[in-house]
């Protein structure tokens, strides 16, 4: 070990300890980091919004599946809706959503009578969840929806309308997530209509 260290002069060790960044090197490094950040931040923001939308759409899809499967398995009407004071309220789909078994078939949740199955927290502040004009989505024991037409949830992120997505529910009760079928960067529903907010 001593022989190995003896091959280096004392000036070699003192020169190594004096090395460091100069002020110019530090300023150039900061400038490079700032330029790279300016390029990457818009893409990062879009990525985060896309992740948020995907997460919300997946949760809504799972919530619809839970309601439909519970209706079939329990042989009861199951309701998905925003409960405000135990009553399903139209136009409040941005709020907390609940899935419950409507044992007495009165269309509202009664503690001690009806069974609460699942609750989804409210959506991100500023985003919108649109469910056209209805106060609830009801599944019959056959798994079909009780509405006379297909249903659809449109999720609209604030300031990013082009990234809107939806979950469509057919009369048979099956949910379908929207997708970008024509590769234009915007999702389309099952009828090839772009998701609009």
């Amino acid at each position: 070990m001593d022989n190995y260290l003896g091959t280096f002069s004392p000036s070699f060790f003192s020169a190594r300890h004096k090395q460091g960044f100069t002020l110019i090197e530090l300023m150039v490094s900061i400038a490079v980091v700032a330029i790279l950040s300016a390029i990457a931040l818009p893409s990062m923001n879009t990525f985060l919004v896309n992740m948020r939308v995907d997460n919300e759409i997946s949760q809504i899809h799972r919530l619809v599946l839970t309601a439909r499967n519970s209706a079939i398995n329990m042989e009861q009407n199951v309701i998905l809706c925003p409960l405000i004071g135990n009553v399903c309220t139209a136009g409040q789909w941005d709020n907390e959503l609940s899935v419950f078994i409507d044992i007495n078939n009165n269309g509202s949740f009664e503690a001690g009578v009806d069974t609460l199955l699942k609750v989804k927290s409210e959506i991100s502040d500023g985003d919108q969840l649109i469910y056209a004009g209805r106060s609830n989505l009801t599944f019959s024991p056959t798994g079909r929806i009780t509405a006379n037409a297909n249903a659809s949830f449109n999720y609209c992120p604030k300031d990013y309308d082009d990234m809107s997505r939806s979950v469509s529910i057919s009369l048979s009760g099956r949910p379908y997530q929207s997708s970008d079928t024509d590769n234009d960067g915007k999702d389309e529903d099952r009828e090839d209509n772009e998701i609009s907010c």
Side-chain angles (χ1 to χ4, degrees), residues 56-162:
E56 289 290 344
I57 283 296
S58 293
Q59 286 187 49
I60 293 165
H61 188 256
R62 285 192 304 271
L63 202 64
V64 170
L65 282 174
T66 297
R68 181 175 191 262
N69 292 340
S70 297
I72 294 168
N73 293 335
M74 304 293 188
E75 297 181 353
Q76 296 279 342
N77 281 349
V78 173
I79 295 177
L80 164 60
C81 74
L83 286 175
I84 310 292
N86 294 340
V87 175
C88 292
T89 308
Q92 301 294 320
W93 292 92
D94 301 342
N95 294 329
E96 187 177 84
L97 301 179
S98 302
V99 174
F100 63 93
I101 300 173
D102 189 18
I103 303 232
N104 55 10
N105 293 321
N106 66 353
S108 63
F109 178 74
E110 294 180 25
V113 177
D114 299 325
T115 305
L116 187 63
L117 299 173
K118 191 169 185 177
V119 176
K120 180 200 166 299
S121 60
E122 65 185 44
I123 64 171
S124 300
D125 192 29
D127 291 355
Q128 288 183 311
L129 180 62
I130 300 168
Y131 181 66
R134 299 184 186 129
S135 62
N136 67 54
L137 176 63
T138 303
F139 291 89
S140 69
T142 62
R144 296 177 60 85
I145 60 175
T146 59
N148 294 328
N150 294 344
S152 181
F153 289 101
N154 290 354
Y155 187 86
C156 309
K158 182 181 179 183
D159 301 327
Y160 290 89
D161 286 345
D162 288 350

